[in-house]
Amino acid sequence: HVSSWFAPGPDVRTEATIIDEQGTAWRPDRVILDGSRVRVLDIKTGRPREEHHDQVAGYMSLLRRMGHTHVEGALLYVRTGELRPVKP
C-alpha cells in the first residue's frame, strides 16, 4: 500500500546520497530506516520500464553490501498510482 511508504514514525531519508565502493554517488528518492528493515522507493512520472526495476534492485544491492540484511524495494508510478514491488 502506498500509504505505508509515507507513514510518520520511521527514519526517512529523501534523496540522500549513497556512495558505493567505487566512489559512485547514488540517490534513491526515498530510503526508510525502520528498525532492522530498510525500504527503498523510487518515484517515476513516466511509463514503467525494465530499467526502473534494475535501478531499484541496484539500490537494494548497495544497501545489502552496506550491511543491511532486510531490504525491500518498490517503484511508484505517479501517473497511475501503481506501486510495484521490486524483487532482488
Side-chain angles (χ1 to χ4, degrees):
H1 215 203
V2 173
S3 62
S4 71
W5 291 90
F6 296 93
D11 184 7
V12 176
R13 310 286 168 92
T14 305
E15 294 190 19
T17 302
I18 302 171
I19 308 295
D20 70 13
E21 304 90 342
Q22 289 76 39
T24 303
W26 301 92
R27 189 169 289 154
D29 291 330
R30 191 168 183 87
V31 176
I32 302 166
L33 305 162
D34 189 5
S36 64
R37 180 171 67 158
V38 177
R39 301 187 302 150
V40 61
L41 177 70
D42 220 47
I43 301 166
K44 301 296 184 187
T45 57
R47 297 173 192 245
R49 296 183 7 206
E50 186 63 31
E51 294 84 27
H52 300 160
H53 180 279
D54 296 344
Q55 180 183 14
V56 173
Y59 295 150
M60 294 167 69
S61 175
L62 177 57
L63 289 163
R64 283 190 193 91
R65 292 193 313 271
M66 292 172 63
H68 299 285
T69 55
H70 187 77
V71 180
E72 300 171 11
L75 286 156
L76 174 61
Y77 290 95
V78 295
R79 184 181 293 177
T80 63
E82 180 183 6
L83 181 68
R84 289 188 177 186
V86 173
K87 303 295 180 194

Coordinates of all heavy atoms in Angstrom, one line a residue:
H1 N 0.8 -1.2 0.0 CA 0.0 0.0 0.0 C 0.9 1.2 0.0 O 1.8 1.3 0.7 CB -0.9 0.0 1.2 CG -2.3 0.5 1.0 ND1 -3.0 1.0 2.0 CD2 -3.0 0.7 -0.1 CE1 -4.2 1.4 1.5 NE2 -4.1 1.3 0.2
V2 N 0.5 2.2 -0.8 CA 1.3 3.4 -1.0 C 1.5 4.2 0.4 O 2.6 4.7 0.7 CB 0.7 4.4 -2.0 CG1 1.4 5.7 -2.1 CG2 0.7 3.7 -3.4
S3 N 0.4 4.2 1.2 CA 0.5 5.0 2.4 C 1.6 4.5 3.4 O 2.1 5.3 4.1 CB -0.9 4.9 3.1 OG -1.2 3.6 3.5
S4 N 1.9 3.2 3.3 CA 3.0 2.7 4.2 C 4.3 3.3 3.9 O 5.2 3.3 4.8 CB 3.0 1.2 4.1 OG 3.5 0.7 2.9
W5 N 4.5 3.8 2.7 CA 5.8 4.4 2.3 C 5.9 5.8 2.8 O 7.0 6.4 2.7 CB 6.0 4.3 0.8 CG 6.2 2.9 0.3 CD1 5.3 2.0 0.0 CD2 7.5 2.2 0.3 NE1 5.9 0.8 -0.3 CE2 7.2 0.9 -0.2 CE3 8.8 2.6 0.5 CZ2 8.3 0.0 -0.4 CZ3 9.8 1.7 0.3 CH2 9.5 0.4 -0.1
F6 N 4.8 6.4 3.2 CA 4.7 7.8 3.6 C 4.2 8.0 5.0 O 3.9 9.1 5.4 CB 3.9 8.6 2.6 CG 4.5 8.6 1.2 CD1 4.1 7.7 0.3 CD2 5.5 9.5 0.9 CE1 4.7 7.7 -1.0 CE2 6.1 9.5 -0.4 CZ 5.7 8.6 -1.3
A7 N 4.1 6.9 5.8 CA 3.6 7.0 7.2 C 4.7 7.7 8.1 O 5.9 7.5 7.9 CB 3.3 5.6 7.7
P8 N 4.2 8.4 9.1 CA 5.1 9.0 10.0 C 5.7 7.9 11.0 O 5.2 6.9 11.1 CB 4.2 10.0 10.8 CG 2.9 9.4 10.7 CD 2.8 8.7 9.4
G9 N 6.9 8.3 11.5 CA 7.5 7.4 12.5 C 8.9 7.0 12.2 O 9.8 7.4 12.9
P10 N 9.1 6.2 11.2 CA 10.5 5.7 10.9 C 11.4 6.8 10.4 O 10.9 7.9 10.0 CB 10.3 4.6 9.9 CG 8.9 4.7 9.4 CD 8.1 5.6 10.3
D11 N 12.7 6.6 10.4 CA 13.7 7.5 9.9 C 13.6 7.5 8.4 O 13.9 6.5 7.8 CB 15.0 7.1 10.4 CG 16.1 8.0 10.1 OD1 15.9 9.1 9.5 OD2 17.3 7.7 10.3
V12 N 13.3 8.6 7.8 CA 13.1 8.7 6.4 C 14.2 9.6 5.8 O 14.5 10.7 6.3 CB 11.7 9.3 6.0 CG1 11.6 9.5 4.5 CG2 10.6 8.4 6.5
R13 N 14.9 9.1 4.8 CA 15.9 9.9 4.0 C 15.4 10.1 2.6 O 15.1 9.2 1.9 CB 17.2 9.2 4.0 CG 17.7 8.6 5.3 CD 18.2 9.8 6.2 NE 18.4 9.3 7.6 CZ 19.6 8.9 8.0 NH1 20.6 8.7 7.2 NH2 19.7 8.5 9.3
T14 N 15.2 11.4 2.3 CA 14.7 11.8 0.9 C 15.9 12.2 0.1 O 16.6 13.2 0.4 CB 13.7 12.9 1.0 OG1 12.6 12.4 1.9 CG2 13.1 13.2 -0.3
E15 N 16.1 11.6 -1.1 CA 17.2 11.9 -2.0 C 18.5 12.0 -1.3 O 19.4 12.8 -1.7 CB 16.8 13.1 -2.8 CG 15.6 12.9 -3.7 CD 15.4 14.1 -4.7 OE1 16.4 14.9 -4.9 OE2 14.3 14.2 -5.2
A16 N 18.8 11.1 -0.3 CA 20.1 11.1 0.3 C 21.1 10.4 -0.6 O 20.8 9.4 -1.2 CB 20.0 10.4 1.7
T17 N 22.3 10.9 -0.6 CA 23.3 10.3 -1.5 C 24.0 9.1 -0.8 O 24.3 9.2 0.4 CB 24.4 11.4 -1.8 OG1 23.7 12.4 -2.5 CG2 25.5 10.8 -2.7
I18 N 24.1 8.0 -1.5 CA 24.8 6.9 -1.0 C 26.0 6.7 -2.0 O 25.9 6.7 -3.2 CB 23.9 5.6 -1.1 CG1 22.7 5.8 -0.2 CG2 24.7 4.4 -0.6 CD1 21.6 4.7 -0.4
I19 N 27.2 6.5 -1.4 CA 28.4 6.3 -2.2 C 28.8 4.9 -2.2 O 28.9 4.2 -1.1 CB 29.6 7.2 -1.6 CG1 29.2 8.6 -1.4 CG2 30.8 7.0 -2.5 CD1 28.9 9.4 -2.7
D20 N 29.0 4.3 -3.4 CA 29.4 2.9 -3.4 C 30.9 2.7 -3.3 O 31.6 3.7 -3.1 CB 28.8 2.2 -4.7 CG 29.5 2.7 -6.0 OD1 30.5 3.3 -5.9 OD2 28.9 2.3 -7.0
E21 N 31.3 1.4 -3.4 CA 32.8 1.1 -3.2 C 33.7 1.8 -4.2 O 34.8 2.0 -4.0 CB 33.0 -0.4 -3.3 CG 32.1 -1.2 -2.3 CD 30.8 -1.7 -2.9 OE1 30.3 -1.1 -3.9 OE2 30.2 -2.6 -2.3
Q22 N 33.2 2.1 -5.4 CA 34.0 2.7 -6.4 C 33.9 4.3 -6.4 O 34.5 5.0 -7.2 CB 33.5 2.3 -7.8 CG 33.9 0.9 -8.2 CD 33.0 -0.1 -7.5 OE1 31.8 0.1 -7.4 NE2 33.5 -1.2 -7.0
G23 N 33.1 4.8 -5.4 CA 33.0 6.2 -5.3 C 31.9 6.8 -6.1 O 31.7 8.1 -6.2
T24 N 31.0 6.0 -6.7 CA 29.9 6.5 -7.5 C 28.8 6.9 -6.5 O 28.5 6.2 -5.6 CB 29.4 5.4 -8.4 OG1 30.5 5.0 -9.3 CG2 28.2 5.9 -9.3
A25 N 28.2 8.0 -6.8 CA 27.1 8.5 -6.0 C 25.7 8.0 -6.5 O 25.5 8.1 -7.7 CB 27.1 10.0 -5.9
W26 N 24.9 7.5 -5.6 CA 23.5 7.0 -6.0 C 22.6 7.8 -5.1 O 22.8 8.1 -4.0 CB 23.4 5.5 -5.7 CG 24.4 4.7 -6.4 CD1 25.6 4.3 -6.0 CD2 24.2 4.2 -7.7 NE1 26.3 3.6 -7.0 CE2 25.4 3.5 -8.1 CE3 23.2 4.2 -8.7 CZ2 25.6 2.9 -9.3 CZ3 23.4 3.6 -9.9 CH2 24.6 2.9 -10.2
R27 N 21.4 8.1 -5.7 CA 20.4 9.0 -5.0 C 19.0 8.4 -5.1 O 18.2 8.9 -5.9 CB 20.5 10.4 -5.5 CG 19.7 11.3 -4.6 CD 20.0 12.8 -4.9 NE 21.3 13.1 -4.4 CZ 22.1 14.0 -4.9 NH1 21.7 14.8 -5.9 NH2 23.3 14.2 -4.4
P28 N 18.6 7.4 -4.3 CA 17.3 7.0 -4.3 C 16.3 8.0 -3.8 O 16.7 8.9 -3.0 CB 17.3 5.7 -3.4 CG 18.5 5.8 -2.7 CD 19.5 6.7 -3.4
D29 N 15.1 8.0 -4.3 CA 14.1 9.1 -4.0 C 13.8 9.0 -2.5 O 13.6 10.0 -1.8 CB 12.8 8.9 -4.8 CG 13.0 9.3 -6.2 OD1 13.9 10.1 -6.5 OD2 12.3 8.7 -7.1
R30 N 13.6 7.8 -1.9 CA 13.2 7.7 -0.5 C 13.8 6.4 0.1 O 13.6 5.3 -0.5 CB 11.7 7.6 -0.5 CG 11.0 7.8 0.9 CD 9.5 8.0 0.7 NE 8.8 8.2 1.9 CZ 8.7 9.4 2.5 NH1 9.2 10.4 2.0 NH2 8.1 9.5 3.6
V31 N 14.5 6.5 1.2 CA 15.0 5.4 1.9 C 14.4 5.5 3.3 O 14.5 6.5 4.0 CB 16.5 5.4 2.0 CG1 17.0 4.2 2.9 CG2 17.1 5.3 0.6
I32 N 13.8 4.4 3.8 CA 13.1 4.4 5.1 C 13.9 3.4 6.0 O 14.0 2.2 5.6 CB 11.7 4.0 4.9 CG1 11.0 5.0 4.0 CG2 11.0 3.9 6.3 CD1 9.6 4.5 3.5
L33 N 14.4 3.8 7.1 CA 15.1 3.0 8.0 C 14.1 2.8 9.2 O 13.8 3.7 9.9 CB 16.4 3.7 8.5 CG 17.3 4.1 7.4 CD1 18.3 5.2 7.9 CD2 18.0 3.0 6.8
D34 N 13.7 1.5 9.3 CA 12.7 1.1 10.3 C 13.1 -0.1 11.1 O 12.9 -1.2 10.7 CB 11.4 0.9 9.6 CG 10.2 0.7 10.5 OD1 10.3 0.9 11.7 OD2 9.1 0.4 10.0
G35 N 13.9 0.2 12.2 CA 14.4 -0.9 12.9 C 15.5 -1.6 12.1 O 16.4 -1.0 11.5
S36 N 15.3 -3.0 12.0 CA 16.3 -3.8 11.2 C 15.9 -3.8 9.7 O 16.7 -4.3 8.9 CB 16.3 -5.2 11.7 OG 15.1 -5.8 11.5
R37 N 14.8 -3.2 9.4 CA 14.3 -3.2 8.0 C 14.7 -1.9 7.3 O 14.5 -0.8 7.8 CB 12.8 -3.4 7.9 CG 12.2 -3.4 6.6 CD 10.8 -3.9 6.6 NE 10.0 -2.9 7.3 CZ 8.7 -2.7 7.1 NH1 8.0 -3.6 6.3 NH2 8.0 -1.8 7.7
V38 N 15.1 -2.0 6.0 CA 15.4 -0.8 5.2 C 14.6 -0.9 3.9 O 14.6 -2.0 3.3 CB 16.9 -0.7 4.8 CG1 17.1 0.5 3.9 CG2 17.7 -0.5 6.1
R39 N 13.8 0.1 3.6 CA 13.0 0.1 2.4 C 13.4 1.2 1.5 O 13.7 2.3 2.0 CB 11.5 0.2 2.8 CG 11.1 -0.9 3.7 CD 9.6 -1.0 3.9 NE 9.1 0.2 4.5 CZ 7.9 0.7 4.4 NH1 7.0 0.1 3.6 NH2 7.5 1.8 5.0
V40 N 13.5 1.0 0.2 CA 13.9 2.0 -0.8 C 12.7 2.1 -1.8 O 12.2 1.1 -2.3 CB 15.2 1.7 -1.4 CG1 15.2 0.4 -2.2 CG2 15.7 2.8 -2.3
L41 N 12.4 3.4 -2.1 CA 11.3 3.7 -3.0 C 11.8 4.6 -4.1 O 12.4 5.6 -3.7 CB 10.1 4.3 -2.3 CG 8.9 4.7 -3.2 CD1 8.2 3.5 -3.7 CD2 7.9 5.6 -2.3
D42 N 11.5 4.3 -5.3 CA 11.8 5.3 -6.4 C 10.5 5.7 -7.0 O 9.7 4.8 -7.3 CB 12.8 4.7 -7.4 CG 13.8 5.7 -7.9 OD1 14.4 6.4 -7.0 OD2 14.0 5.9 -9.1
I43 N 10.4 7.0 -7.3 CA 9.1 7.5 -7.8 C 9.4 7.9 -9.3 O 10.3 8.6 -9.6 CB 8.7 8.7 -7.0 CG1 8.5 8.3 -5.5 CG2 7.4 9.4 -7.5 CD1 8.4 9.4 -4.5
K44 N 8.5 7.5 -10.1 CA 8.6 7.7 -11.6 C 7.4 8.4 -12.1 O 6.3 8.1 -11.7 CB 8.8 6.4 -12.3 CG 10.0 5.6 -11.9 CD 11.3 6.4 -12.2 CE 12.5 5.5 -11.8 NZ 13.8 6.3 -12.0
T45 N 7.6 9.3 -13.1 CA 6.5 10.0 -13.7 C 6.1 9.5 -15.0 O 5.0 9.7 -15.5 CB 6.8 11.5 -13.8 OG1 8.0 11.6 -14.6 CG2 7.0 12.2 -12.5
G46 N 6.9 8.7 -15.6 CA 6.7 8.2 -17.0 C 6.1 6.8 -16.9 O 5.6 6.3 -15.9
R47 N 6.1 6.1 -18.0 CA 5.6 4.7 -18.1 C 6.6 3.8 -17.5 O 7.8 4.0 -17.5 CB 5.4 4.4 -19.6 CG 4.4 5.2 -20.3 CD 4.4 4.9 -21.8 NE 3.6 5.9 -22.5 CZ 2.5 5.6 -23.2 NH1 2.1 4.4 -23.2 NH2 1.9 6.6 -23.8
P48 N 6.1 2.6 -17.0 CA 7.0 1.6 -16.5 C 8.0 1.1 -17.5 O 7.7 0.9 -18.7 CB 6.0 0.5 -16.1 CG 4.7 1.2 -15.9 CD 4.7 2.3 -16.9
R49 N 9.2 0.9 -17.1 CA 10.3 0.4 -17.9 C 11.2 -0.6 -17.1 O 11.3 -0.4 -15.9 CB 11.2 1.5 -18.5 CG 10.4 2.5 -19.4 CD 11.2 3.6 -20.0 NE 12.6 3.5 -19.8 CZ 13.4 4.6 -19.8 NH1 12.9 5.8 -20.0 NH2 14.7 4.5 -19.7
E50 N 11.8 -1.5 -17.7 CA 12.6 -2.5 -17.1 C 13.8 -1.8 -16.4 O 14.2 -2.3 -15.3 CB 13.1 -3.6 -18.1 CG 13.8 -4.7 -17.4 CD 13.0 -5.5 -16.5 OE1 11.8 -5.7 -16.7 OE2 13.6 -6.1 -15.5
E51 N 14.3 -0.8 -16.9 CA 15.4 0.0 -16.3 C 15.1 0.5 -15.0 O 15.9 0.6 -14.1 CB 15.9 1.1 -17.2 CG 16.4 0.7 -18.6 CD 15.4 0.5 -19.6 OE1 14.3 1.1 -19.6 OE2 15.6 -0.3 -20.5
H52 N 13.8 0.8 -14.7 CA 13.4 1.3 -13.4 C 13.6 0.2 -12.4 O 14.1 0.4 -11.3 CB 11.9 1.8 -13.4 CG 11.7 2.9 -14.4 ND1 10.4 3.1 -14.8 CD2 12.5 3.8 -15.0 CE1 10.5 4.2 -15.7 NE2 11.7 4.6 -15.8
H53 N 13.1 -1.0 -12.7 CA 13.3 -2.2 -11.8 C 14.8 -2.4 -11.5 O 15.2 -2.6 -10.4 CB 12.7 -3.4 -12.4 CG 12.8 -4.6 -11.6 ND1 13.9 -5.4 -11.5 CD2 11.9 -5.2 -10.7 CE1 13.8 -6.4 -10.7 NE2 12.5 -6.3 -10.2
D54 N 15.6 -2.4 -12.6 CA 17.0 -2.6 -12.4 C 17.7 -1.5 -11.5 O 18.5 -1.8 -10.7 CB 17.7 -2.6 -13.7 CG 17.3 -3.7 -14.6 OD1 16.7 -4.7 -14.1 OD2 17.5 -3.7 -15.8
Q55 N 17.2 -0.3 -11.6 CA 17.7 0.8 -10.8 C 17.4 0.6 -9.3 O 18.3 0.7 -8.5 CB 17.1 2.1 -11.2 CG 17.5 3.3 -10.5 CD 16.8 4.6 -10.9 OE1 15.8 4.6 -11.6 NE2 17.3 5.7 -10.5
V56 N 16.2 0.2 -9.0 CA 15.9 0.0 -7.6 C 16.6 -1.3 -7.1 O 17.1 -1.3 -5.9 CB 14.3 -0.1 -7.4 CG1 14.0 -0.5 -6.0 CG2 13.7 1.2 -7.7
A57 N 16.7 -2.3 -7.9 CA 17.4 -3.5 -7.5 C 18.8 -3.2 -7.2 O 19.4 -3.8 -6.3 CB 17.3 -4.6 -8.6
G58 N 19.4 -2.3 -7.9 CA 20.8 -1.8 -7.7 C 20.9 -1.1 -6.3 O 21.9 -1.3 -5.6
Y59 N 19.9 -0.2 -6.0 CA 19.9 0.4 -4.7 C 19.8 -0.6 -3.6 O 20.5 -0.5 -2.6 CB 18.7 1.3 -4.6 CG 18.7 2.5 -5.5 CD1 17.5 3.1 -5.9 CD2 19.8 3.2 -5.9 CE1 17.4 4.2 -6.7 CE2 19.8 4.3 -6.8 CZ 18.5 4.8 -7.1 OH 18.5 5.9 -8.0
M60 N 19.0 -1.6 -3.8 CA 18.8 -2.7 -2.8 C 20.1 -3.4 -2.6 O 20.5 -3.7 -1.5 CB 17.7 -3.6 -3.2 CG 16.3 -2.9 -3.2 SD 15.0 -3.9 -4.0 CE 14.9 -5.3 -2.9
S61 N 20.8 -3.8 -3.7 CA 22.1 -4.5 -3.6 C 23.1 -3.6 -2.8 O 23.8 -4.1 -2.0 CB 22.6 -4.8 -5.0 OG 23.8 -5.4 -5.0
L62 N 23.2 -2.4 -3.1 CA 24.1 -1.5 -2.5 C 23.8 -1.4 -1.0 O 24.7 -1.5 -0.1 CB 24.0 -0.1 -3.1 CG 24.8 1.0 -2.5 CD1 26.3 0.7 -2.5 CD2 24.6 2.3 -3.2
L63 N 22.6 -1.3 -0.6 CA 22.2 -1.3 0.8 C 22.6 -2.6 1.5 O 23.0 -2.6 2.7 CB 20.7 -1.0 1.0 CG 20.3 0.5 0.7 CD1 18.8 0.6 0.5 CD2 20.8 1.4 1.7
R64 N 22.4 -3.7 0.8 CA 22.8 -5.0 1.4 C 24.4 -5.0 1.6 O 24.8 -5.5 2.6 CB 22.4 -6.2 0.5 CG 20.9 -6.5 0.7 CD 20.6 -7.8 0.0 NE 19.1 -7.9 -0.1 CZ 18.4 -7.5 -1.1 NH1 19.0 -6.9 -2.2 NH2 17.1 -7.6 -1.1
R65 N 25.1 -4.5 0.6 CA 26.6 -4.5 0.8 C 27.0 -3.6 1.9 O 28.1 -3.8 2.4 CB 27.2 -4.1 -0.6 CG 27.0 -5.1 -1.7 CD 27.9 -4.9 -2.9 NE 27.9 -3.5 -3.4 CZ 27.1 -3.0 -4.3 NH1 26.1 -3.8 -4.8 NH2 27.3 -1.8 -4.8
M66 N 26.2 -2.6 2.3 CA 26.5 -1.8 3.4 C 26.2 -2.4 4.7 O 26.4 -1.8 5.8 CB 25.6 -0.5 3.3 CG 26.1 0.4 2.1 SD 24.9 1.8 1.8 CE 25.2 2.7 3.4
G67 N 25.6 -3.6 4.7 CA 25.4 -4.4 5.9 C 23.9 -4.5 6.4 O 23.6 -5.1 7.4
H68 N 23.0 -4.0 5.6 CA 21.6 -4.1 5.9 C 21.1 -5.5 5.4 O 21.3 -5.8 4.2 CB 20.8 -3.0 5.3 CG 21.2 -1.6 5.7 ND1 20.8 -1.2 7.0 CD2 21.9 -0.7 5.1 CE1 21.3 0.1 7.1 NE2 22.0 0.4 6.0
T69 N 20.5 -6.3 6.3 CA 20.1 -7.6 5.9 C 18.7 -7.7 5.4 O 18.4 -8.6 4.6 CB 20.3 -8.6 7.1 OG1 19.6 -8.1 8.2 CG2 21.8 -8.7 7.4
H70 N 17.8 -6.9 5.9 CA 16.4 -6.9 5.5 C 16.1 -5.7 4.6 O 15.8 -4.6 5.2 CB 15.5 -7.1 6.7 CG 14.1 -7.3 6.3 ND1 13.6 -8.5 5.9 CD2 13.0 -6.5 6.2 CE1 12.3 -8.5 5.6 NE2 11.9 -7.2 5.8
V71 N 16.2 -5.8 3.3 CA 16.0 -4.7 2.4 C 14.8 -5.0 1.5 O 14.7 -6.1 0.9 CB 17.3 -4.4 1.6 CG1 17.1 -3.3 0.6 CG2 18.5 -4.2 2.5
E72 N 13.9 -4.0 1.4 CA 12.8 -4.1 0.4 C 12.8 -2.9 -0.5 O 13.4 -1.9 -0.2 CB 11.5 -4.1 1.2 CG 11.3 -5.2 2.2 CD 10.1 -4.9 3.1 OE1 9.3 -4.0 2.8 OE2 10.0 -5.7 4.1
G73 N 12.2 -3.1 -1.7 CA 12.2 -2.0 -2.6 C 10.9 -2.0 -3.4 O 10.2 -3.0 -3.5
A74 N 10.6 -0.8 -4.0 CA 9.4 -0.6 -4.8 C 9.5 0.6 -5.7 O 10.4 1.5 -5.5 CB 8.2 -0.5 -3.9
L75 N 8.7 0.6 -6.7 CA 8.6 1.7 -7.6 C 7.1 2.2 -7.5 O 6.2 1.5 -7.4 CB 8.8 1.2 -9.1 CG 10.2 0.9 -9.5 CD1 10.2 -0.1 -10.6 CD2 10.9 2.2 -9.8
L76 N 7.0 3.6 -7.5 CA 5.7 4.2 -7.5 C 5.6 5.0 -8.8 O 6.4 5.9 -9.0 CB 5.6 5.1 -6.3 CG 4.3 6.0 -6.2 CD1 3.1 5.1 -6.2 CD2 4.4 6.9 -5.1
Y77 N 4.6 4.7 -9.6 CA 4.3 5.4 -10.8 C 3.2 6.4 -10.6 O 2.1 6.0 -10.4 CB 4.0 4.4 -12.0 CG 5.2 3.6 -12.4 CD1 5.4 2.4 -11.9 CD2 6.1 4.2 -13.3 CE1 6.6 1.6 -12.2 CE2 7.2 3.5 -13.6 CZ 7.5 2.2 -13.1 OH 8.6 1.5 -13.5
V78 N 3.6 7.7 -10.5 CA 2.6 8.7 -10.1 C 1.4 8.9 -11.1 O 0.3 9.2 -10.7 CB 3.3 10.0 -9.8 CG1 4.2 9.9 -8.6 CG2 4.0 10.6 -10.9
R79 N 1.7 8.7 -12.3 CA 0.7 8.9 -13.4 C -0.5 7.9 -13.1 O -1.7 8.3 -13.2 CB 1.2 8.6 -14.8 CG 0.2 8.9 -15.9 CD 0.8 8.6 -17.2 NE 1.8 9.6 -17.5 CZ 2.6 9.6 -18.6 NH1 2.4 8.7 -19.5 NH2 3.5 10.5 -18.8
T80 N -0.3 6.7 -12.7 CA -1.3 5.7 -12.5 C -1.6 5.4 -11.0 O -2.5 4.8 -10.7 CB -1.0 4.4 -13.2 OG1 0.2 3.9 -12.6 CG2 -0.8 4.6 -14.7
G81 N -0.6 5.8 -10.2 CA -0.7 5.5 -8.7 C -0.3 4.0 -8.4 O -0.5 3.5 -7.3
E82 N 0.3 3.4 -9.4 CA 0.7 2.0 -9.3 C 1.9 1.8 -8.4 O 2.9 2.6 -8.7 CB 0.9 1.3 -10.7 CG 1.3 -0.1 -10.6 CD 1.6 -0.7 -12.0 OE1 1.6 0.0 -13.0 OE2 1.9 -1.9 -12.0
L83 N 1.9 1.0 -7.5 CA 3.0 0.6 -6.6 C 3.5 -0.8 -7.0 O 2.7 -1.7 -6.9 CB 2.7 0.7 -5.2 CG 3.8 0.4 -4.2 CD1 4.8 1.5 -4.2 CD2 3.2 0.3 -2.8
R84 N 4.7 -0.9 -7.5 CA 5.3 -2.2 -7.9 C 6.4 -2.6 -7.0 O 7.4 -1.9 -6.9 CB 5.8 -2.1 -9.3 CG 4.8 -2.0 -10.4 CD 5.5 -2.1 -11.8 NE 4.5 -2.1 -12.8 CZ 4.7 -2.3 -14.1 NH1 6.0 -2.6 -14.5 NH2 3.8 -2.2 -15.0
P85 N 6.3 -3.7 -6.3 CA 7.4 -4.2 -5.5 C 8.5 -4.6 -6.4 O 8.3 -5.1 -7.5 CB 6.8 -5.5 -4.8 CG 5.4 -5.5 -5.1 CD 5.1 -4.6 -6.2
V86 N 9.7 -4.5 -5.9 CA 10.9 -4.9 -6.7 C 11.6 -6.0 -5.9 O 11.9 -5.9 -4.7 CB 11.9 -3.7 -6.8 CG1 13.2 -4.2 -7.4 CG2 11.3 -2.6 -7.6
K87 N 11.7 -7.1 -6.6 CA 12.4 -8.3 -6.0 C 13.8 -8.3 -6.4 O 14.2 -8.0 -7.5 CB 11.7 -9.6 -6.5 CG 10.2 -9.7 -6.2 CD 9.9 -9.7 -4.8 CE 8.4 -9.8 -4.5 NZ 8.1 -9.5 -3.1
P88 N 14.7 -8.7 -5.5 CA 16.2 -8.7 -5.8 C 16.5 -9.7 -6.9 O 15.8 -10.6 -7.1 CB 16.8 -9.0 -4.5 CG 15.7 -9.6 -3.6 CD 14.4 -9.2 -4.2

